């Protein structure tokens, strides 16, 4: 029997100085980004059991390129200007520090501008390996050459009149746009919560900027605030994957599985796994 290293999903991970992490030039022959793209995955697919990735991306020129999203992604602008045009309705967005984008599967955009952004995307769409020339895709999970697929069974019949009939009926849930833009997202006002089962009881505040309806329950993105220095015996049990970028103050976390204590300041990034 061969001996192999055991892999275990990460329960907690802290990246100090995440927003200042060293980026790697991307070599992407598929054309998803251009030659001026740099990126680092701080929470990589192995950390989250292939559920999502989070990291920092930077574009160093005003050149534009086209991208089609097959995943859910949020991007918080850290510096510069990101220019995004929806290729379907031609709407143009100019995002600056503190602005937030959400992009849904099926969205086609044209992107450009010199900017730096923090991103989260789900699911984990590809894995990276470092090469002497930069960074390349090793496996694109949405486009595997020679992948074996199994077709579904055909319908019993086709009734075109149902298409017109459906247009006269109210739809639920309503169709959400494929792009959502929140200007000055970091200045959104959180609301105090009353949830003693999951959150601290001493003034925890939160607001969801990108809510489950926006993403078809794909992800939630928001601002949370703990306005006091009091320590609380509340214990949070994570049944989900979560990343938290510290934008103000200090967050102290105790890992009740190991006894380890983590302290995060502005620009640090936490990941908590189920």
């Amino acid at each position: 029997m061969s001996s192999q290293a055991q892999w275990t999903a990460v329960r907690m991970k802290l990246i100090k100085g995440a927003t200042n992490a060293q980026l790697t030039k991307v070599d992407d022959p598929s054309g998803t980004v251009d030659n001026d793209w740099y990126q680092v995955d701080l929470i990589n697919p192995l950390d989250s059991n292939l559920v999502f990735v989070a990291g920092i991306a930077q574009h160093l020129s005003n050149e534009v390129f086209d991208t089609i999203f097959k995943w859910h992604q949020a991007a918080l602008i850290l510096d510069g200007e990101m220019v995004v045009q929806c290729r379907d309705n031609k709407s143009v967005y100019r995002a600056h520090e503190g602005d937030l984008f959400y992009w849904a599967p099926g969205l086609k955009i044209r992107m450009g501008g010199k900017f730096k952004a923090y991103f989260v995307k789900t699911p984990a769409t590809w894995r990276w390996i470092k090469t002497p020339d930069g960074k390349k895709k090793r496996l694109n999970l949405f486009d595997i050459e020679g992948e074996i697929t199994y077709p579904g069974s055909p319908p019993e019949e086709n009734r075109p009149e149902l298409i017109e009939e459906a247009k006269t009926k109210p739809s639920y849930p309503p169709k959400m746009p494929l792009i959502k833009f929140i200007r000055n997202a970091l200045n959104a006002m959180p609301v105090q919560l009353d949830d003693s089962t999951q959150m601290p009881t001493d003034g925890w505040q939160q607001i969801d900027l990108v809510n489950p309806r926006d993403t078809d329950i794909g992800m939630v993105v928001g601002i949370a605030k703990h306005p006091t220095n009091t320590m609380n015996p509340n214990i949070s049990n994570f049944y989900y994957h979560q990343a938290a970028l510290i934008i103000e103050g200090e967050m102290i976390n105790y890992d009740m599985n190991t006894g380890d204590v983590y302290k995060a300041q502005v620009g640090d990034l936490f990941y908590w796994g189920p």
Side-chain angles (χ1 to χ4, degrees):
M1 180 180 296
S2 62
S3 175
Q4 294 184 345
Q6 296 297 309
W7 168 79
T8 303
V10 174
R11 281 200 179 115
M12 183 182 294
K13 183 178 182 179
L14 173 62
I15 299 97
K16 291 280 191 178
T19 54
N20 293 318
Q22 183 176 357
L23 308 185
T24 304
K25 181 176 173 57
V26 170
D27 181 8
D28 183 7
S30 69
T32 304
V33 295
D34 65 12
N35 290 329
D36 298 313
W37 191 267
Y38 288 72
Q39 182 174 324
V40 61
D41 291 349
L42 301 170
I43 300 168
N44 57 47
L46 279 184
D47 292 331
S48 68
N49 207 10
L50 305 182
V51 173
F52 81 96
V53 296
I56 307 295
Q58 188 171 23
H59 191 235
L60 297 181
S61 77
N62 287 316
E63 296 296 319
V64 299
F65 56 90
D66 294 341
T67 294
I68 300 176
F69 287 88
K70 299 178 182 178
W71 54 86
H72 301 271
Q73 183 166 339
L76 174 67
I77 310 304
L78 301 175
D79 189 29
E81 180 183 67
M82 176 191 286
V83 183
V84 172
Q85 181 182 40
C86 175
R87 287 158 54 194
D88 287 325
N89 61 26
K90 309 306 179 184
S91 299
V92 176
Y93 304 85
R94 295 183 180 274
H96 303 88
E97 182 180 354
D99 296 343
L100 178 74
F101 274 110
Y102 163 69
W103 301 303
L107 175 67
K108 296 178 288 186
I109 68 168
R110 180 159 292 157
M111 179 183 292
K114 298 179 181 180
F115 61 84
K116 185 178 182 181
Y118 165 69
F119 69 88
V120 179
K121 61 192 296 184
T122 182
T125 50
W126 48 68
R127 307 278 292 279
W128 298 95
I129 57 172
K130 193 171 184 179
T131 70
D133 298 327
K135 199 174 186 181
K136 287 187 176 181
K137 288 179 189 174
R138 178 169 64 174
L139 175 64
N140 184 339
L141 301 182
F142 280 110
D143 186 19
I144 302 174
E145 185 177 354
E147 181 178 9
I148 298 173
T149 60
Y150 194 89
S153 301
E156 298 297 330
E157 60 177 316
N158 181 261
R159 297 174 57 185
E161 66 273 14
L162 295 178
I163 300 174
E164 293 302 318
E165 181 181 342
K167 294 178 181 178
T168 67
K169 307 293 185 182
S171 61
Y172 184 85
K175 182 176 176 60
M176 302 306 294
L178 297 180
I179 186 169
K180 185 174 185 178
F181 177 60
I182 300 107
R183 192 171 296 284
N184 297 321
L186 297 186
N187 293 323
M189 295 295 294
V191 178
Q192 185 160 332
L193 301 184
D194 182 13
D195 182 2
S196 59
T197 62
Q198 286 292 322
M199 300 298 181
T201 56
D202 52 352
W204 185 270
Q205 302 171 13
Q206 185 171 319
I207 186 169
D208 291 346
L209 303 171
V210 179
N211 58 47
R213 178 64 63 82
D214 293 327
T215 69
D216 262 343
I217 322 180
M219 64 162 55
V220 176
V221 183
I223 304 290
K225 183 177 181 181
H226 188 238
T228 72
N229 285 320
T230 58
M231 295 307 296
N232 199 300
N234 178 274
I235 297 177
S236 294
N237 294 301
F238 283 84
Y239 303 103
Y240 42 84
H241 301 266
Q242 184 169 341
L245 179 67
I246 310 303
I247 56 179
E248 184 179 303
E250 179 183 66
M251 174 186 282
I252 303 174
N253 269 216
Y254 299 84
D255 188 335
M256 306 300 288
N257 300 290
T258 64
D260 295 332
V261 179
Y262 299 86
K263 293 185 178 182
Q265 285 83 32
V266 176
D268 296 346
L269 178 68
F270 264 119
Y271 164 71
W272 303 294

